[in-house]
Amino acid sequence: MKKFLILVGCGLLLALSGAAQTFESATEAVKNMRVGWNLGNTFDSHGSGASGSPTNFETYWGQPVTTPALMKMMHEAGFNAIRVPVTWYQHMDRNNRVDDEWMKRVHEVVDYVVSEGMYCILNVHHDTGAHDAAWLVADEAVYAQQKDRYESLWTQIAEEFRDYGDRLLFEAYNEMLDVKRSWCFASFNTPGRYDAAIATSAYNAINSYAQSFVNAVRATGGNNTQRNLVVCTYGACSGGGTWNSHLKDPLRMLNMPQDVTSGHIAFEVHSYPNVENMQSVKAEVDDMVNALNTHLASKGAPVIFGEWGTSNVDNGADYSERRANVLEFAHYFCGKPKRTASQRSTGWDSPTHRHGWCPYSISPTLPKASLKDGTATTMLRSFQPTMTMNTSTPWFFSMGSGRS
């Protein structure tokens, strides 16, 4: 039986070299990432009110300017991977060229991560999703219209980081939805809750975007010929739940992209279950893990939980009342993949996100934290029970109340 690995967090290490080098496989990379974290609501911000310098975008959704000190703090706390979500469409001109200053700032933050020896996952984020400005849509006609623009974007990103080593991974797209903006599975948002034509078009398009991504990156040469690449399922759906027969379709319908280099593709899903009933949520996690093994990992690639958290716990009284459930869920969610020797996962975590885990609170000038909630400790120890947490920098890990 084939095994698969899912990342608990997000991250990457730097290995700068002018010459191509031998990369670890995707399975080895995902295993070595251990636990990771998302730099959420920062470089993925976008909207009609955002304009001007990279700093204006970086702080537009309420986050402070990212610093090397933050990445140092994350690494010292025990995280070994950082996912850096980036939205690009407001930084591209009519000729699809990315703004030099935006690319420079993204490059700086990638360096913050890899200089700490962590893995870094760099992606295309809110260019997808359920908003009017999303230009990457899971639809065959839209793919045909956007193919050149999409491949141009990934060519530029790949060329920018061509000489980086195997601690840098690229993620093709975030949560790409169909023309009806359906979650759970393609065409769920139609009147009948399923439309075969819309669903087929959506899954075909996802596979086309994934293949375009792989082709564009590999064509830039250098270390990109071996770089580990990550592709999400439709909507990054994880297949959890048994309430609809189509829930597993996003896993079944995602193809392994054709690649000139074998062993350097990983799959990614996201998961945000409701944790009010722990018996139910544990059953959902069990079902999800089994589905990922059966329908996705069996295709020959490791699996990353690029984001995870809860769908119902916010800051304030709601979180306080369910804190025990949150800790129990974090323990079970992080421990289950380890126990099955098959999965790793990453939490979505910005101080203002309503569905995610937040392992730090931050001042306008310097990262600070406290360990009063213990969620970060639970994550790390559930995945790696022998780990000794670095408590010289105390941690704060809370639920936020901001943007999705």
Side-chain angles (χ1 to χ4, degrees), residues 29-234:
V30 171
K31 179 180 179 180
N32 292 335
M33 287 177 192
R34 303 194 304 271
V35 182
W37 178 79
N38 278 273
L39 180 65
N41 291 0
T42 305
F43 293 94
D44 52 319
S45 71
H46 66 102
S48 59
S51 63
S53 70
T55 299
N56 289 348
F57 281 89
E58 185 177 352
T59 60
Y60 180 56
W61 283 356
Q63 304 299 70
V65 172
T66 305
T67 65
L70 172 61
M71 298 308 162
K72 179 178 176 61
M73 182 182 75
M74 300 302 296
H75 192 210
E76 289 180 348
F79 293 90
N80 198 41
I82 303 293
R83 183 170 177 250
V84 180
V86 180
T87 300
W88 300 87
Y89 74 89
Q90 287 185 285
H91 309 281
M92 299 172 69
D93 65 19
R94 293 180 180 180
N95 297 317
N96 301 328
R97 294 300 304 174
V98 176
D99 176 71
D100 288 342
E101 291 302 309
W102 183 249
M103 184 70 83
K104 178 181 178 181
R105 180 57 181 149
V106 171
H107 196 138
E108 288 175 345
V109 173
V110 170
D111 284 350
Y112 296 167
V113 176
V114 296
S115 65
E116 285 296 324
M118 295 187 289
Y119 287 85
C120 178
I121 299 176
L122 180 64
N123 83 347
V124 171
H125 203 74
H126 287 308
D127 301 87
T128 67
H131 61 93
D132 291 342
W135 59 282
L136 296 175
V137 178
D139 175 81
E140 289 175 297
V142 176
Y143 167 75
Q145 295 167 0
Q146 301 294 353
K147 177 179 182 291
D148 289 347
R149 185 184 184 193
Y150 179 65
E151 292 178 355
S152 174
L153 173 58
W154 268 114
T155 296
Q156 292 171 76
I157 297 169
E159 288 176 344
E160 181 75 13
F161 296 98
R162 177 165 38 208
D163 294 332
Y164 277 57
D166 57 11
R167 297 310 177 105
L168 176 62
L169 285 73
F170 294 150
E171 176 192 316
Y173 45 79
N174 184 45
E175 297 165 345
M176 196 186 305
L177 305 178
D178 63 24
V179 292
K180 299 297 183 180
R181 301 179 182 179
S182 303
W183 296 102
C184 304
F185 53 84
S187 80
F188 177 65
N189 206 31
T190 58
R193 292 305 191 191
Y194 184 75
D195 182 298
I198 291 176
T200 298
S201 179
Y203 295 128
N204 287 345
I206 286 289
N207 287 316
S208 294
Y209 283 110
Q211 191 63 60
S212 280
F213 162 66
V214 172
N215 293 347
V217 172
R218 295 294 185 235
T220 61
N223 286 340
N224 287 332
T225 61
Q226 301 178 78
R227 188 168 311 286
N228 289 317
L229 304 178
V230 183
V231 294
C232 290
T233 59
Y234 169 87

